[in-house]
Amino acid sequence: MAIPPADGAFFTAYDTVLRTRWPATTVSTTVPTPYGPTHVNSHGPEDGPPVILLPGGGATSTVWFATAAELGRTHRVHAVDLIGDPGRSVPGSDDPPVRAVADLMAWLDAVMDGLGTKTASLCGHSYGAWTALHYAVHRPDRLATLVLLDPTNCFSGFSPRYLLRAAPLLLRPTPARTRAFLRWETGGVPLDETWLALERHTAAFPAARPVTGPRPETAALRVPTLLLLAERSRAHDVRRAAAAARKVPAVRVEILPGATHHTLPLASPPGTDARVAEFLRARPLQA
């Protein structure tokens, strides 16, 4: 079933973030997939090693502007709007819905194919990191490296308190509930006002139901992985997640001091994006 069009104010706010926060050389493209057209914002040298960025649920690809600017010094960055999520990846009436993890994997395969990318590095935050980790287990042959920013439901479950706080927002999202939830989780840390103006419009965006499922089988992970956990994340028990991740040989675990789940990647601690860039450069990949 097609997702009804969003209010034009959403797309105006989306374009404002791109125009004012993203590098001037950013280009936007649409990649065809079996599940509908997928919108991608790209930056960096066209012959640079490719890195694909997946945002958290509802955040849109625009949230990656600081990361794209840093990684785009040496890499070709492709920030993707998740299919059916708030953003410009809006399925048509004849496009089948993404219902299961297997559909997400096939969608991401098609995105990489459409970008002309046989292999890439993959970086995700929150729900985007959950998707990225599933893909790394599903298609390790297509990934050089994996970067996970405070992934949810990967190395530990959600915090019950977090789910309780998020429930009203999930059941009936409103701009006021979005603001209150972000203030609670971030401890009132200021976030970019231009991006927040876009986030306020996501409450009215007619998004598809997100795919849920089991945790990725981390024991099968072979792709070199950098796991960056937010020290003050309220989404999960950070110590438990770190302890579980350290049992996986492919994973390098680091804790981001002072960070919370929803300050990433907008208000990451200084040096975070440079740390990601260093990790990617240590494992060079041909474009």
Side-chain angles (χ1 to χ4, degrees):
M1 179 182 296
I3 297 174
D7 188 287
F10 173 89
F11 294 115
T12 298
Y14 183 106
D15 293 341
T16 298
V17 178
L18 279 182
R19 187 179 67 255
T20 63
R21 294 295 183 263
W22 276 69
T25 56
T26 300
V27 296
S28 299
T29 56
T30 299
V31 175
T33 79
Y35 302 93
T38 296
H39 186 85
V40 182
N41 296 309
S42 303
H43 167 65
E46 293 188 6
D47 60 349
V51 55
I52 296 172
L53 307 180
L54 302 180
T60 80
S61 63
T62 66
V63 76
W64 292 108
F65 56 84
T67 302
E70 177 64 37
L71 300 186
R73 299 174 187 272
T74 54
H75 287 69
R76 183 63 172 175
V77 177
H78 302 292
V80 180
D81 281 344
L82 301 176
I83 191 72
D85 215 42
R88 289 189 173 274
S89 297
V90 181
S93 58
D94 295 329
D95 295 320
V98 175
R99 296 188 184 277
V101 171
D103 295 324
L104 272 179
M105 303 299 97
W107 166 74
L108 198 44
D109 270 333
V111 170
M112 291 185 65
D113 291 342
L115 291 171
T117 301
K118 292 182 179 179
T119 55
S121 293
L122 186 59
C123 174
H125 170 240
S126 189
Y127 177 72
W130 178 84
T131 302
L133 183 52
H134 267 293
Y135 192 76
V137 174
H138 169 75
R139 290 300 304 268
D141 56 303
R142 300 202 71 167
L143 297 184
T145 54
L146 178 68
V147 179
L148 306 173
L149 272 66
D150 214 47
T152 47
N153 201 32
C154 287
F155 299 98
S156 65
F158 282 99
S159 160
R161 184 174 60 157
Y162 181 86
L163 292 178
L164 185 63
R165 286 273 188 165
L169 183 62
L170 296 173
L171 292 173
R172 202 176 91 184
T174 67
R177 287 179 173 180
T178 298
R179 287 195 301 271
F181 180 72
L182 289 176
R183 280 198 300 267
W184 169 77
E185 202 286 325
T186 63
V189 172
L191 300 177
D192 184 87
E193 287 295 334
T194 304
W195 182 83
L196 282 174
L198 168 61
E199 185 67 7
R200 284 192 283 272
H201 290 291
T202 62
F205 195 97
R209 189 186 186 114
V211 173
T212 58
R215 296 182 197 172
E217 296 183 12
T218 56
L221 181 63
R222 298 292 181 267
V223 177
T225 300
L226 175 63
L227 171 62
L228 299 176
L229 292 168
E231 180 187 34
R232 298 180 182 176
S233 176
R234 294 187 173 187
H236 49 195
D237 186 319
V238 174
R239 292 182 181 178
R240 181 176 297 176
R246 289 187 174 111
K247 296 177 182 178
V248 183
V251 179
R252 187 175 100 193
V253 181
E254 296 186 23
I255 308 294
L256 298 176
T260 77
H261 185 73
H262 290 285
T263 54
L264 302 175
L266 277 175
S268 301
T272 299
D273 292 324
R275 189 178 309 182
V276 172
E278 180 184 1
F279 181 78
L280 299 182
R281 286 196 299 268
R283 293 157 181 83
L285 169 69
Q286 296 299 318

